[in-house]
Amino acid sequence: MNDPKSILPYGSWPSPIEADDAARGDALLEWVGFLGDDVCWTEVLPEEDGRSGLMRRTADGVEEVLPPGWDVRTRVIEYGGRPWLALSGRAADGLVFTHGPDQRLHRWRPGSDPVPLSPPGAWPGALRYADFAVHGDEVWCLRETVTDETARTARRHLVAIPLDGSAAQDPSRVRELAATHHFMTGPRIEPGGGRVAWLGWDHPDMPWDTTRLMVAAVRPDGTLGAPTVRMGGEGEAVTQADWATDGSGTLYAVSDPDGWWNVHAVDRDGGTRSLCPLPEEFGEALWRIGLRWCLPLLDGTLAVIHGVGERRLGILGADGILTDFADPATEWHFAATDGRRIAAVASSPGRRRTVVLADPADGSVRTVRAPSSEGGSLPADAPVPDADAPAPSAESGSPDAYATTPYRRTYRGDDGEPVHVHVYPPHHPMVTGPGDELPPYLVLAHGGPTSRSHLVLNQEISYFTSRGIGVVDVQYGGSTGYGRAYRERLRHRWGLTDVQDCATAARGLIAEGLADPDRIAIRGGSAGGWTAVASIAAEPGLYRAAAVYYPVLDPASWREETHDFESRYLDGLIGPWPDTADRYARQSPLRDADRIRTPFVLLQGLDDTVCPPAQAERLLLRIGPDTVPYRCLTFEGEGHGFRRSATVAASLRAELRLYADALGFTPASS
C-alpha cells in the first residue's frame, strides 16, 4: 500500500531539481548526421561556455569526433544553420565544419587537426558558412558576409570553396555561384550533378511568408546557368527542397499553396503535385538554414516529419500512403539520412531529447545518445522506452520521477478563435497541495513569435511544477504548427492577439478551477518577453509577477538595432514603416510602461545582437524602482538565448525568488 502524500502549500514543495540541475540537466542536442556508419550530432556544453561539440557514439560511450576545443557552430542569420557535413559515406574522408569563434570553414580528417578551407574575414565572424554540399573537389555552401560588427547588414552568396585548402590564404579561389535573393539556403545538388536547387526570399518577407524554389543547370566548368523559379511566390512559402534519389530529376518541395506545409513533387517539365494533401504540417518555419523534414530514401520512399501541434516520423510511399513509426516520440528534429536509416533528435511528454536511429526496414527506433546530462548511460542498441513504460520512481533519484504529465487544451477567446495550450500541472510523487488551496500558475509565452513550443519533458518546467507551481505554455495566434491561417492571426496584431490569447489561457484555467486567480504570473523570452511586458501593462489585475528574458520592447528602434534577418520582420507583425508608425506606438509594450505596477525580473545578455540591451534599458527608464519592485540581471558574454549553465541557474533562482514574494509562498529551496 502506498504511503499517503504529505500535504504542503503550493510553491513550497521540496524538490530535488535545483536551479543548477535544471540548467545543465537537459542536453541541447542538434544537427544530426552520418559520418560513415556512425551517427553524429552537435551538443552544447554549458560547462564549457556553451561550446558546441560534435559527438558520436562508440562501443565505449559518447565521445567527441574532433580534437578538444573545436566549436561546431555557425552564426548565419544569427540563429545558425547546419554547421557540418561528412565528405562521403566513408569515415576516413572526414568532414567539413564551421568553427564558432572565427566562423571559418574547416576540414578534418581522422588522425589530424582541422585545417581552414576559407579565408579569414575582416574580423572574426565577418564571413560565415552553412548548409554544405560536395561537388567534385569543392564544397558548395551558403556564405554570409556581415558588413558591420553589429550584424545589421549582410550579403549572401552561394559559393564554391576548394577542398585542398588553397582558398584559406587566397580569397580569389572562392567562386561565387549565385546571389538571386537577399536570403538563401544552401545548395541541393541533383544526383549526377546536373542541376542545383536552393530557396530564396527578399525583404520584407520572412521565410514563412513568401519564398521561391530556384533551380539552375550546372555547366561542365562548374558555373551555373540562369536560375528559374520552380515553385513558390507571393503568399506561398517553400520551406525545404531535396532531390529524389532515383535519378528521375524529381524535386521534392515542402510548400503551403493550400495553407499547410505539405510535400509536393516538382517534375522536370515544371509540373507539381501534392503527394499527401492533409491539413497537417510537414515542415516548420525556416528559422535556421538547412533544416529538413522530408528525406528522400534510396528505395524511393520519403521519410517525413508531420503533424498538427506535434511532429511524428512516418514513411510516405510512392502510392501516397503514410505509415508512422510505432514510437511514442511526439517531436522529431534535425533529421538526417544515409539513404536507408533516419537519425534525429526525438522527445515526448515522458522523455527528454534523445538522439535516435530509426530503421524503416524493421520499424525499430534505437537510442544513440541517451537523455542524461552525462550522455551514454544506455547501451547503443537500447530501444527507446515505450510510452507506457513505468515512470522512474522517486526512490531512484531520477529527476524525471518529479516531472508532471502535460496535456493539450484548446480554449476559445472572446472572438471565438481557438487558443491552443500545453498544460503542465503541479506534480510531486510524495507531496500534494491542501484541498482548499489552488496552485499558482505561470503563463509561458514562447519566443518567435512565428514559432512554437513542444509538449515534451522539460527540466526547466519541472523545476517549477515539482515545487507546486503549474505552467501553461500558450501557442498563441501566430504560432506555427497549425497552418498558415493560424499563423496569420498575428499579422499586424503583435502585442494584441498574443496578449489576448495568453489572458484567454489564464482565464480558462481559472474558470476550470485549476489555478488560483490571485496567483498568476507570466514569463517569456525574446518575442515572449515582449508579450510578457505587454501583458502586465494590459492586464494589471490578472498577472501578479513577470519574468522577462532578453525582450523586444520598442519596435520602432528595434528595426534599426536588430540584425539583418529580422530587420523587416515587423512589416508583417505590425505594418510597413513609416506608413504605420502610429500602430508601432500603439502596440509597443512601452506605451503604457509607466502604468506597470506588477513586479518583474529582467534578464539580459550583454552580447545580444538580436534584442540588444538597449531594448531592456528603455523599459527601465520608464519605470521607477519606487513604483514597481523589479530586478535586472545582466550577463557578460551571453547573447540571444543563454548558453552557460551558470547564467541559466542564476536566472531561474531570480524567477523563483520573484514568484515567492509576489505569489505568496515560501520555497523549500532554489
Side-chain angles (χ1 to χ4, degrees), residues 107-177:
R107 179 175 184 173
W108 171 80
R109 295 180 176 91
S112 63
D113 288 327
V115 296
L117 297 184
S118 66
W123 62 84
L127 297 175
R128 306 168 178 183
Y129 303 88
D131 207 11
F132 309 107
V134 175
H135 186 270
D137 57 1
E138 295 177 319
V139 177
W140 289 16
C141 63
L142 173 68
R143 182 188 68 193
E144 181 177 73
T145 304
V146 178
T147 52
D148 68 283
E149 295 194 51
T150 63
R152 293 175 192 166
T153 56
R155 301 187 305 272
R156 294 165 190 88
H157 296 80
L158 299 186
V159 297
I161 301 175
L163 278 166
D164 63 9
S166 58
Q169 301 301 324
D170 182 3
S172 68
R173 295 279 292 158
V174 178
R175 295 193 304 116
E176 293 184 356
L177 299 170

Side-chain angles (χ1 to χ4, degrees), residues 341-374:
R341 304 167 298 167
I342 303 102
V345 177
S347 55
S348 73
R351 190 173 181 83
R352 287 182 277 151
R353 289 183 290 258
T354 307
V355 179
V356 299
L357 183 63
D359 190 341
D362 59 12
S364 64
V365 179
R366 300 186 178 277
T367 297
V368 176
R369 198 285 193 200
S372 66
S373 56
E374 298 80 17

Side-chain angles (χ1 to χ4, degrees), residues 75-90:
R75 290 181 57 193
V76 160
I77 69 168
E78 296 304 313
Y79 291 104
R82 184 164 289 277
W84 72 277
L85 176 74
L87 290 176
S88 73
R90 301 187 313 127

Side-chain angles (χ1 to χ4, degrees), residues 48 51 64 66-71 99 101:
E48 297 187 38
R51 180 174 70 86
E64 283 204 56
L66 301 174
W70 290 91
D71 186 359
H99 179 48

Side-chain angles (χ1 to χ4, degrees), residues 222-349:
T223 60
L224 302 188
T228 59
V229 178
R230 302 303 299 273
M231 197 172 186
E234 191 62 36
E236 179 183 346
V238 186
T239 197
Q240 186 207 329
D242 266 292
W243 297 96
T245 59
D246 60 4
S248 65
T250 298
L251 188 57
Y252 296 116
V254 180
S255 192
D256 66 346
D258 299 319
W260 295 87
W261 274 312
N262 282 186
V263 181
H264 298 76
V266 183
D267 300 326
R268 270 191 187 275
D269 61 6
T272 63
R273 64 188 188 282
S274 181
L275 300 183
C276 187
L278 291 173
E280 297 186 14
E281 302 282 42
F282 287 71
E284 296 273 6
L286 194 62
W287 279 99
R288 305 177 78 179
I289 302 299
L291 289 171
R292 302 171 76 195
W293 305 273
C294 173
L295 308 175
L297 304 180
L298 291 173
D299 64 1
T301 63
L302 298 172
V304 293
I305 297 172
H306 69 103
V308 179
E310 65 175 15
R311 294 292 179 271
R312 303 244 178 209
L313 178 65
I315 300 297
L316 180 59
D319 55 4
I321 295 177
L322 177 60
T323 305
D324 285 345
F325 278 77
D327 185 85
T330 55
E331 295 290 349
W332 294 75
H333 314 275
F334 303 104
T337 184
D338 62 358
R340 297 178 295 107
R341 304 167 298 167
I342 303 102
V345 177
S347 55
S348 73

